């Protein structure tokens, strides 16, 4: 698959805000343009979500916040009621996007934190 922006594996949690409240999700990977995470419930494509998560930086941790639209939601397996959800970030402050980009450049996809 050809990707528009490089991404990096990230395993902390994010808080996802849906119409039914806040939910904790495990992040699979991040990029300047989006976030992919695992959640215990489906989220329909084109749903707008708000997300907050912490990203390790050299000075400690930086809180990243943004809003995006679900572009993919796939059930992980028939045995698990968990979903892999990809979000294209539409609203995010440039300094947060720059922090993600620096994180990704320092840790290519597949390289753990």
């Amino acid at each position: 698959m050809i990707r528009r922006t490089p991404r990096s594996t990230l395993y902390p949690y994010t808080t996802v805000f849906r119409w039914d409240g806040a939910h904790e999700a495990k992040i699979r990977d991040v990029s300047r343009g989006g976030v992919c995470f695992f959640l215990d419930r489906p989220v329909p494509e084109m749903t707008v979500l708000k997300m907050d998560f912490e990203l390790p930086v050299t000075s400690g941790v930086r809180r990243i916040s943004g809003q995006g639209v679900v572009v993919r939601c796939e059930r992980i397996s028939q045995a698990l009621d968990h979903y892999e959800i990809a979000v294209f970030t539409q609203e995010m402050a440039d300094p947060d996007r720059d922090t993600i980009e620096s994180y990704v450049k320092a840790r290519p996809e597949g390289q753990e934190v």
Side-chain angles (χ1 to χ4, degrees), residues 1 3 7 13-14 25 31 36 39-40 48 52 66 70 74-75 94 98 101 104 106 108:
M1 173 186 299
R3 302 203 186 268
R7 63 195 62 233
Y13 289 87
T14 182
S31 74
C36 184
L39 188 63
D40 64 351
V48 175
D52 291 319
V70 174
E74 297 176 350
R75 190 171 187 159
D94 286 336
D98 294 342
E101 186 172 25
V104 171

Side-chain angles (χ1 to χ4, degrees), residues 5-7 30-34 89 92 94 96-102 104:
T5 57
R7 63 195 62 233
V30 295
S31 74
R32 185 176 179 86
T89 51
M92 183 176 282
D94 286 336
D96 285 353
R97 286 189 194 271
D98 294 342
T99 299
I100 291 171
E101 186 172 25
S102 295
V104 171

Side-chain angles (χ1 to χ4, degrees), residues 1-62:
M1 173 186 299
I2 297 174
R3 302 203 186 268
R4 287 183 158 180
T5 57
R7 63 195 62 233
S8 183
T9 305
L10 180 67
Y11 295 111
Y13 289 87
T14 182
T15 302
V16 177
F17 300 92
R18 297 178 358 140
W19 63 91
D20 61 348
H23 301 277
E24 190 173 82
K26 188 170 185 178
I27 297 175
R28 187 189 85 179
D29 60 47
V30 295
S31 74
R32 185 176 179 86
V35 178
C36 184
F37 57 86
F38 302 108
L39 188 63
D40 64 351
R41 62 200 72 211
V43 180
E45 288 182 9
M46 302 310 294
T47 298
V48 175
L49 296 177
K50 181 181 172 204
M51 300 171 294
D52 291 319
F53 59 94
E54 292 181 346
L55 194 63
V57 294
T58 48
S59 60
V61 175
R62 179 182 172 99

